[in-house]
Amino acid sequence: MGLHPLEFSECYLDSPAFREKIKAHEAELDKTGRFIKELYKDGKNLINATKQLSLAQKKFAQCLGEFKFEYIGDDKTDDEKCIGEFFFSPDIFICARMRNITETLMKPLEKFRKDQLGSAKAERKRYEKETEKYYSSLEKLLNMSAKKKEPQLQEADMAVEVMRQHFQVSSLEYVCKLQEIQERKKFECVEPMLAFFQTVFTFYHQGYELAKDFDHYKKALQINIQNTRSRFEGTRSEVFELMKRIKDSPQEYRQTSPISSEGYLYVQEKRPPPFGSSWVKRYSTFVKEQKILHMKTFDQRSGGKLGETESVTIKSCVRKTTDTLDRRFCLDIEITDRYVGHAPPAVMVTVNECNDAFLIHKKSVDAQLDDLGISFVKNSINAIETRGINDQGLYRVVGVSSKVQKLLSFMIDEKSCEIDLAASEDWDVKTITSALKLYLRSLPEPLMTYELYKEFIVPAKSATPESRVQAIHCLVHKLPERNRLVLSLVTKHLAKVAANSKQNLMTVANLGVVFGPTLMRPQEETVAAIMDLKFQNIVVEILIEQHEKICGDAPSSSPSLAATPLSAPTRQSKSLSRQNRPLAVYNPQVLDIQTGMRDQSALSACDRRAAVRLLPVCPWFCSAVTLSREPGWLEGVLEGKRGLIPENYVEIL
């Protein structure tokens, strides 16, 4: 189990468990900072200390071997497993004189440490400052004299409310920043080291010989890094969108929990004379069915120190009748049993309390999985395969939103649905593809159902491709008949699209990215669910590649995933499985979203042709190279295949 995802909804509860999760993320970032500092220091030793070069190299390799990435979520993709194995590979290090590594290794790592880890520390200070201000204002309000006039009390209430809002916004932004950096380090730390090692291998003869053995793993790792970077960009946008929605309406995003209510209570504890009484803040959870209240002493400002847990069975709880504003939320409770502690609490003041979880359902159109819907799916697929299966960026290039909505509403209307899209020139291909995706996303329940969502994700995390296919085969035949029929139509069509990837640039991997969240999604919208997007893509890739087997006859027996070890594949098996994968990932062209027209200035820039040599990270030569329409990418021919190449990986000859 890696690091727990930090849910935005927990920022509003600020529970002890949530603080423990934040501390774990902070500890991981501190460990990364120390690792980069140590690596930077050891790199300097490799450049300057020639007399102790052998010892410095040994320590440098040992430092790499001892570091381990912690991943957010309960499992890792194949790409993340391969990146993680990179640090535990003793055969990738060479004991030879190393020079000129400052540009390839030291500066990128130092830049990451200063820019990313430094910004995290700044956010942490701001978060701790807002925590101190908010909880100090709460205690100041509690200690106000009852003799204060009502306007003064109201003004104090308003000041506390402003402090609370500032604290919650700071908490949301800090949580988002922590998770962003945890994901960034997977490629921004590993990529410079990959470039450094490859430079060493090719510069020295011994390194050149070793590079031959490392070559297949290096190619696979480059694809792993690129895939991880692409998934990060998609996940990052989803997380920011979720954070924005929670900022706008935090009460609508509450997690499902067996606990009826939870939050902070200030408990008034009576002491023997002459000490009087004092208020103690406790994080409390209440289970309504059992009438049990659990209270735990916790103070965020003392480093998150936890006290003992006290549990009481409540017989009655009555709001105290009073006309004074400073006691308007006081509760008198009567208890029957007490499990820890001494005298029972007499009065409680509620500070914050959570509501029941609320599930989000958004539908832009009234789409249903009925005969009209199935007819629309068949009609759309026929039109796409007839008119535009070779269009570049098929399903990636989107249509104008208003036209897409109009087409879908038109096609699912009984009065106007009898139109052949393959023969109609009124609707372009990108509008039809966007309407088909919108229909599948707008169904009351996703095509692969909420009930089976978690079961579909489990095989994507298993070890062998065979066990994945077998498990998904069984799960598909658990779907309702209509769902299975439409899924069969869609995956068969996507297989045809992927078969024409040389023309449309839509490989199986690209289609998985597009249709992963379209065909399956969780019922509750959380950060943890967004982190599972990468596994959704894997499931859809398997459905496309194995659609004939999976959507054909029912399986003879159900697989047992419990017996499958969740270990990473070996390097050799990894390299063999990568040989048939594309060398580049398609990125959408420069388009005008409203009109769908290509940017003419970007097209004219493609006229210049050149030959390039990939930098030490990729020691191959490409021919017939042109500038791509996508910024940061080139188009070229490599080993007889034409595709996209990252511009920062090449050198123009």
Side-chain angles (χ1 to χ4, degrees):
M1 182 66 182
L3 295 173
H4 291 281
L6 298 174
E7 299 296 346
F8 293 127
S9 59
E10 292 186 80
C11 296
Y12 294 86
L13 288 175
D14 197 28
S15 66
F18 175 63
R19 288 287 179 151
E20 288 298 318
K21 292 179 186 177
I22 287 183
K23 286 175 66 176
H25 280 260
E26 290 172 346
E28 175 62 16
L29 291 185
D30 290 340
K31 184 174 69 174
T32 302
R34 292 193 300 270
F35 163 72
I36 292 177
K37 285 182 179 179
E38 187 69 18
L39 195 61
Y40 188 88
K41 177 182 176 181
D42 293 339
K44 286 292 184 181
N45 289 337
L46 292 177
I47 298 172
N48 301 320
T50 55
K51 293 182 180 180
Q52 300 179 355
L53 185 57
S54 178
L55 180 61
Q57 287 176 325
K58 184 178 180 181
K59 186 180 179 183
F60 186 72
Q62 183 180 2
C63 179
L64 288 176
E66 292 176 352
F67 182 74
K68 180 182 178 182
F69 277 135
E70 291 293 344
Y71 292 84
I72 299 175
D74 57 355
D75 215 322
K76 299 174 281 192
T77 63
D78 290 345
D79 296 320
E80 291 171 338
K81 289 174 183 176
C82 187
I83 290 174
E85 286 178 345
F86 177 75
F87 290 98
F88 299 95
S89 307
D91 58 323
I92 67 173
F93 191 81
I94 175 175
C95 292
R97 186 173 300 176
M98 302 184 209
R99 298 175 182 172
N100 301 324
I101 66 172
T102 302
E103 295 295 328
T104 59
L105 177 64
M106 315 309 287
K107 287 186 177 180
L109 289 180
E110 187 67 2
K111 184 176 184 297
F112 176 83
R113 187 181 69 83
K114 289 181 178 179
D115 294 350
Q116 301 300 327
L117 300 184
S119 63
K121 288 182 179 179
E123 284 289 335
R124 180 177 178 177
K125 289 181 180 178
R126 188 168 75 90
Y127 176 64
E128 291 173 349
K129 182 178 179 181
E130 292 295 335
T131 298
E132 174 68 26
K133 289 168 64 177
Y134 172 54
Y135 286 102
S136 295
S137 66
L138 282 179
E139 293 188 357
K140 184 178 179 181
L141 178 63
L142 285 170
N143 293 324
M144 285 185 68
S145 173
K147 297 180 181 179
K148 294 286 186 180
K149 295 182 180 180
E150 185 172 338
Q152 292 176 310
L153 293 173
Q154 289 178 345
E155 183 179 356
D157 280 355
M158 291 176 63
V160 169
E161 179 62 17
V162 171
M163 291 292 184
R164 182 185 66 80
Q165 291 177 0
H166 288 171
F167 165 71
Q168 290 175 347
V169 169
S170 174
S171 180
L172 286 169
E173 292 174 353
Y174 182 49
V175 164
C176 187
K177 188 67 176 178
L178 281 177
Q179 297 192 119
E180 177 184 345
I181 295 175
Q182 294 286 12
E183 292 294 306
R184 274 185 180 276
K185 69 180 183 183
K186 296 177 188 175
F187 48 85
E188 292 196 4
C189 287
V190 179
E191 195 170 32
M193 283 181 272
L194 179 64
F196 160 67
F197 282 113
Q198 189 58 37
T199 302
V200 172
F201 298 154
T202 54
F203 187 80
Y204 297 96
H205 178 70
Q206 183 182 359
Y208 174 75
E209 294 296 327
L210 186 58
K212 290 182 179 179
D213 299 330
F214 180 73
D215 189 63
H216 75 274
Y217 181 58
K218 175 201 61 186
K219 292 179 180 179
L221 189 57
Q222 286 172 334
I223 295 176
N224 297 144
I225 293 171
Q226 188 62 38
N227 289 344
T228 304
R229 189 192 298 272
S230 300
R231 292 190 182 109
F232 163 75
E233 294 296 337
T235 304
R236 181 171 179 263
S237 62
E238 293 283 344
V239 169
F240 271 98
E241 183 65 28
L242 178 59
M243 183 182 71
K244 182 180 177 182
R245 291 197 298 271
I246 290 183
K247 277 185 179 180
D248 296 337
S249 54
Q251 295 298 327
E252 295 183 356
Y253 288 82
R254 299 294 185 186
Q255 289 184 275
T256 305
S257 171
I259 298 172
S260 305
S261 297
E262 59 182 317
Y264 282 98
L265 295 175
Y266 276 82
V267 181
Q268 189 181 59
E269 293 186 346
K270 294 182 179 179
R271 300 180 180 180
F275 299 105
S277 61
S278 63
W279 292 98
V280 179
K281 183 179 65 176
R282 295 188 176 184
Y283 190 81
S284 307
T285 58
F286 178 65
V287 182
K288 186 176 181 180
E289 292 76 10
Q290 302 172 356
K291 295 185 178 180
I292 296 179
L293 179 68
H294 304 280
M295 297 179 291
K296 185 180 296 184
T297 305
F298 180 74
D299 190 356
Q300 288 89 343
R301 294 168 299 173
S302 62
K305 185 177 180 181
L306 281 171
E308 63 182 8
T309 300
E310 181 178 357
S311 301
V312 297
T313 303
I314 295 180
K315 183 178 181 180
S316 66
C317 179
V318 181
R319 180 176 175 180
K320 197 167 186 176
T321 56
T322 177
D323 295 331
T324 58
L325 287 176
D326 62 328
R327 294 292 185 267
R328 63 194 182 281
F329 293 128
C330 285
L331 306 173
D332 287 326
I333 69 170
E334 183 180 354
I335 65 174
T336 57
D337 296 304
R338 191 173 192 172
Y339 305 100
V340 177
H342 303 288
V347 181
M348 295 185 178
V349 178
T350 60
V351 177
N352 62 343
E353 184 178 310
C354 78
N355 297 324
D356 292 334
F358 184 80
L359 301 181
I360 309 300
H361 300 279
K362 294 182 179 179
K363 293 195 296 179
S364 56
V365 293
D366 185 21
Q368 298 294 331
L369 197 61
D370 51 14
D371 292 339
L372 278 176
I374 296 175
S375 175
F376 168 64
V377 172
K378 293 179 179 178
N379 197 346
S380 300
I381 289 175
N382 181 49
I384 295 166
E385 293 180 355
T386 302
R387 296 170 52 191
I389 198 168
N390 291 326
D391 289 0
Q392 285 194 8
L394 190 66
Y395 285 109
R396 273 276 179 98
V397 179
V398 298
V400 179
S401 179
S402 58
K403 291 184 179 180
V404 173
Q405 292 271 1
K406 183 178 179 181
L407 173 60
L408 182 55
S409 301
F410 184 76
M411 293 303 296
I412 61 177
D413 187 353
E414 293 183 3
K415 299 179 181 179
S416 56
C417 64
E418 295 181 2
I419 180 174
D420 186 4
L421 294 175
S424 174
E425 298 295 332
D426 296 333
W427 309 99
D428 53 22
V429 174
K430 66 175 180 290
T431 302
I432 299 173
T433 57
S434 298
L436 177 58
K437 290 188 294 181
L438 179 60
Y439 167 76
L440 295 174
R441 287 196 300 267
S442 302
L443 292 172
E445 186 177 33
L447 209 57
M448 297 170 74
T449 72
Y450 293 130
E451 181 183 358
L452 295 177
Y453 173 79
K454 290 185 178 179
E455 295 185 47
F456 273 111
I457 291 294
V458 170
K461 301 176 182 179
S462 62
T464 63
E466 294 78 10
S467 63
R468 293 178 181 178
V469 174
Q470 187 180 5
I472 292 174
H473 187 192
C474 293
L475 290 171
V476 165
H477 285 270
K478 290 183 180 180
L479 293 172
E481 184 177 352
R482 283 180 180 269
N483 296 57
R484 192 167 66 251
L485 171 62
V486 175
L487 183 63
S488 175
L489 291 172
V490 172
T491 52
K492 182 179 179 181
H493 163 65
L494 295 180
K496 291 182 180 178
V497 173
N500 291 270
S501 60
K502 289 185 177 180
Q503 290 77 31
N504 58 39
L505 303 181
M506 292 302 292
T507 63
V508 172
N510 293 331
L511 292 171
V513 171
V514 173
F515 280 89
T518 300
L519 299 179
M520 58 187 300
R521 62 182 181 272
Q523 193 167 9
E524 190 173 358
E525 196 170 10
T526 63
V527 174
I530 294 175
M531 293 301 173
D532 277 342
L533 279 174
K534 52 196 175 188
F535 298 112
Q536 295 177 26
N537 302 345
I538 293 173
V539 172
V540 174
E541 287 180 31
I542 294 172
L543 286 171
I544 297 172
E545 291 175 337
Q546 304 290 334
H547 74 279
E548 292 183 356
K549 176 181 178 180
I550 292 175
C551 297
D553 297 333
S556 56
S557 61
S558 298
S560 176
L561 289 176
T564 305
L566 297 179
S567 58
T570 62
R571 287 192 188 178
Q572 184 63 26
S573 62
K574 172 77 72 172
S575 66
L576 293 175
S577 64
R578 297 284 183 182
Q579 288 178 356
N580 295 326
R581 296 192 66 169
L583 292 177
V585 177
Y586 171 73
N587 280 270
Q589 300 166 345
V590 179
L591 297 174
D592 184 329
I593 300 299
Q594 296 300 322
T595 63
M597 298 299 291
R598 295 179 181 176
D599 189 342
Q600 296 300 321
S601 62
L603 282 170
S604 62
C606 294
D607 295 334
R608 183 171 64 88
R609 293 181 173 270
V612 301
R613 175 176 65 84
L614 295 178
L615 290 175
V617 128
C618 308
W620 302 299
F621 288 86
C622 300
S623 58
V625 177
T626 61
L627 291 176
S628 169
R629 300 181 181 91
E630 179 66 17
W633 293 79
L634 300 173
E635 292 184 11
V637 176
L638 175 64
E639 297 179 351
K641 297 181 180 179
R642 186 168 187 83
L644 297 180
I645 311 164
E647 190 173 8
N648 60 333
Y649 274 39
V650 304
E651 180 183 59
I652 304 293
L653 298 180

CSV table of all heavy atoms in Angstrom, one decimal, residues 259-280:
chain,number,residue,atom,x,y,z
A,259,ILE,N,-20.2,6.3,9.7
A,259,ILE,CA,-20.3,7.2,10.8
A,259,ILE,C,-21.4,8.2,10.5
A,259,ILE,O,-21.4,8.8,9.4
A,259,ILE,CB,-19.0,7.9,11.0
A,259,ILE,CG1,-17.9,6.9,11.4
A,259,ILE,CG2,-19.1,9.0,12.1
A,259,ILE,CD1,-16.5,7.5,11.5
A,260,SER,N,-22.3,8.4,11.4
A,260,SER,CA,-23.5,9.3,11.2
A,260,SER,C,-23.0,10.8,11.2
A,260,SER,O,-23.4,11.5,10.4
A,260,SER,CB,-24.5,9.1,12.3
A,260,SER,OG,-24.9,7.8,12.4
A,261,SER,N,-22.2,11.2,12.2
A,261,SER,CA,-21.7,12.5,12.2
A,261,SER,C,-20.3,12.5,12.8
A,261,SER,O,-19.9,11.6,13.6
A,261,SER,CB,-22.6,13.4,13.1
A,261,SER,OG,-23.9,13.5,12.6
A,262,GLU,N,-19.5,13.4,12.4
A,262,GLU,CA,-18.1,13.6,12.9
A,262,GLU,C,-17.6,15.0,12.8
A,262,GLU,O,-18.1,15.8,12.0
A,262,GLU,CB,-17.1,12.6,12.2
A,262,GLU,CG,-17.0,12.9,10.7
A,262,GLU,CD,-16.0,11.9,10.1
A,262,GLU,OE1,-15.0,11.6,10.7
A,262,GLU,OE2,-16.4,11.4,9.0
A,263,GLY,N,-16.8,15.4,13.7
A,263,GLY,CA,-16.3,16.7,13.7
A,263,GLY,C,-15.6,17.0,15.1
A,263,GLY,O,-15.4,16.1,15.9
A,264,TYR,N,-15.3,18.3,15.3
A,264,TYR,CA,-14.7,18.7,16.6
A,264,TYR,C,-15.7,19.2,17.6
A,264,TYR,O,-16.7,19.9,17.2
A,264,TYR,CB,-13.7,19.8,16.3
A,264,TYR,CG,-12.4,19.3,15.8
A,264,TYR,CD1,-12.1,19.4,14.4
A,264,TYR,CD2,-11.4,18.7,16.6
A,264,TYR,CE1,-10.9,18.9,13.9
A,264,TYR,CE2,-10.3,18.2,16.1
A,264,TYR,CZ,-10.0,18.3,14.7
A,264,TYR,OH,-8.8,17.8,14.2
A,265,LEU,N,-15.6,18.7,18.8
A,265,LEU,CA,-16.4,19.2,19.9
A,265,LEU,C,-15.5,19.8,21.0
A,265,LEU,O,-14.4,19.2,21.2
A,265,LEU,CB,-17.2,18.0,20.6
A,265,LEU,CG,-18.2,17.3,19.7
A,265,LEU,CD1,-18.8,16.2,20.5
A,265,LEU,CD2,-19.4,18.3,19.3
A,266,TYR,N,-15.9,20.9,21.6
A,266,TYR,CA,-15.2,21.4,22.7
A,266,TYR,C,-15.9,20.9,24.0
A,266,TYR,O,-17.1,21.2,24.2
A,266,TYR,CB,-15.1,22.9,22.7
A,266,TYR,CG,-14.0,23.5,21.8
A,266,TYR,CD1,-14.1,23.6,20.5
A,266,TYR,CD2,-12.8,23.8,22.4
A,266,TYR,CE1,-13.1,24.0,19.7
A,266,TYR,CE2,-11.7,24.3,21.6
A,266,TYR,CZ,-11.9,24.4,20.3
A,266,TYR,OH,-10.9,24.8,19.5
A,267,VAL,N,-15.2,20.1,24.8
A,267,VAL,CA,-15.8,19.5,25.9
A,267,VAL,C,-15.4,20.3,27.2
A,267,VAL,O,-14.2,20.5,27.4
A,267,VAL,CB,-15.3,18.0,26.1
A,267,VAL,CG1,-16.0,17.3,27.3
A,267,VAL,CG2,-15.7,17.3,24.8
A,268,GLN,N,-16.4,20.6,28.0
A,268,GLN,CA,-16.1,21.4,29.2
A,268,GLN,C,-15.8,20.4,30.4
A,268,GLN,O,-16.8,19.6,30.8
A,268,GLN,CB,-17.2,22.3,29.6
A,268,GLN,CG,-16.9,23.2,30.7
A,268,GLN,CD,-18.1,24.1,31.1
A,268,GLN,OE1,-19.2,23.6,31.4
A,268,GLN,NE2,-17.9,25.4,31.0
A,269,GLU,N,-14.6,20.3,30.8
A,269,GLU,CA,-14.3,19.4,31.8
A,269,GLU,C,-14.2,20.1,33.2
A,269,GLU,O,-13.5,21.1,33.3
A,269,GLU,CB,-12.9,18.7,31.5
A,269,GLU,CG,-12.9,17.8,30.3
A,269,GLU,CD,-11.6,17.0,30.1
A,269,GLU,OE1,-10.6,17.4,30.8
A,269,GLU,OE2,-11.6,16.1,29.3
A,270,LYS,N,-14.9,19.6,34.2
A,270,LYS,CA,-14.9,20.2,35.5
A,270,LYS,C,-13.8,19.6,36.3
A,270,LYS,O,-13.6,18.4,36.4
A,270,LYS,CB,-16.3,19.9,36.2
A,270,LYS,CG,-17.4,20.6,35.5
A,270,LYS,CD,-18.8,20.4,36.2
A,270,LYS,CE,-19.9,21.2,35.5
A,270,LYS,NZ,-21.2,20.9,36.1
A,271,ARG,N,-13.1,20.5,37.0
A,271,ARG,CA,-12.0,20.1,37.9
A,271,ARG,C,-12.3,20.4,39.4
A,271,ARG,O,-13.2,21.3,39.6
A,271,ARG,CB,-10.7,20.8,37.5
A,271,ARG,CG,-10.3,20.5,36.0
A,271,ARG,CD,-9.1,21.3,35.7
A,271,ARG,NE,-8.7,21.0,34.3
A,271,ARG,CZ,-7.6,21.5,33.7
A,271,ARG,NH1,-6.8,22.3,34.4
A,271,ARG,NH2,-7.3,21.2,32.5
A,272,PRO,N,-11.6,19.8,40.3
A,272,PRO,CA,-11.9,20.1,41.7
A,272,PRO,C,-11.5,21.5,42.0
A,272,PRO,O,-10.7,22.1,41.4
A,272,PRO,CB,-10.9,19.1,42.4
A,272,PRO,CG,-10.6,18.1,41.4
A,272,PRO,CD,-10.6,18.7,40.1
A,273,PRO,N,-12.2,22.1,43.0
A,273,PRO,CA,-11.9,23.5,43.4
A,273,PRO,C,-10.5,23.6,43.8
A,273,PRO,O,-9.9,22.6,44.4
A,273,PRO,CB,-12.9,23.7,44.5
A,273,PRO,CG,-14.0,22.7,44.4
A,273,PRO,CD,-13.3,21.5,43.7
A,274,PRO,N,-9.8,24.7,43.6
A,274,PRO,CA,-10.4,26.0,43.1
A,274,PRO,C,-10.1,26.1,41.6
A,274,PRO,O,-10.1,27.2,41.1
A,274,PRO,CB,-9.6,27.0,43.9
A,274,PRO,CG,-8.2,26.4,44.0
A,274,PRO,CD,-8.4,24.9,44.1
A,275,PHE,N,-9.9,25.0,40.9
A,275,PHE,CA,-9.5,25.1,39.5
A,275,PHE,C,-10.6,25.4,38.5
A,275,PHE,O,-10.4,25.9,37.4
A,275,PHE,CB,-8.8,23.8,39.0
A,275,PHE,CG,-7.5,23.6,39.8
A,275,PHE,CD1,-7.5,22.6,40.8
A,275,PHE,CD2,-6.4,24.3,39.6
A,275,PHE,CE1,-6.4,22.3,41.5
A,275,PHE,CE2,-5.2,24.0,40.4
A,275,PHE,CZ,-5.2,23.0,41.3
A,276,GLY,N,-11.9,25.2,38.9
A,276,GLY,CA,-13.0,25.4,38.0
A,276,GLY,C,-13.1,24.5,36.9
A,276,GLY,O,-13.0,23.3,37.1
A,277,SER,N,-13.3,25.0,35.7
A,277,SER,CA,-13.5,24.1,34.5
A,277,SER,C,-12.7,24.6,33.3
A,277,SER,O,-12.3,25.8,33.3
A,277,SER,CB,-15.0,24.0,34.1
A,277,SER,OG,-15.5,25.3,33.8
A,278,SER,N,-12.5,23.8,32.3
A,278,SER,CA,-11.7,24.2,31.1
A,278,SER,C,-12.3,23.5,29.9
A,278,SER,O,-12.9,22.4,30.0
A,278,SER,CB,-10.2,23.8,31.3
A,278,SER,OG,-10.1,22.4,31.4
A,279,TRP,N,-12.0,24.1,28.8
A,279,TRP,CA,-12.5,23.6,27.5
A,279,TRP,C,-11.4,22.7,26.8
A,279,TRP,O,-10.3,23.2,26.7
A,279,TRP,CB,-12.9,24.7,26.5
A,279,TRP,CG,-14.2,25.4,27.0
A,279,TRP,CD1,-14.2,26.6,27.7
A,279,TRP,CD2,-15.5,25.0,26.8
A,279,TRP,NE1,-15.5,27.0,27.9
A,279,TRP,CE2,-16.4,26.0,27.4
A,279,TRP,CE3,-16.1,23.9,26.2
A,279,TRP,CZ2,-17.7,25.9,27.4
A,279,TRP,CZ3,-17.5,23.8,26.2
A,279,TRP,CH2,-18.3,24.8,26.8
A,280,VAL,N,-11.7,21.5,26.4
A,280,VAL,CA,-10.8,20.6,25.8
A,280,VAL,C,-11.3,20.3,24.4
A,280,VAL,O,-12.5,19.8,24.3
A,280,VAL,CB,-10.5,19.4,26.6
A,280,VAL,CG1,-9.5,18.5,25.8
A,280,VAL,CG2,-10.0,19.7,28.0
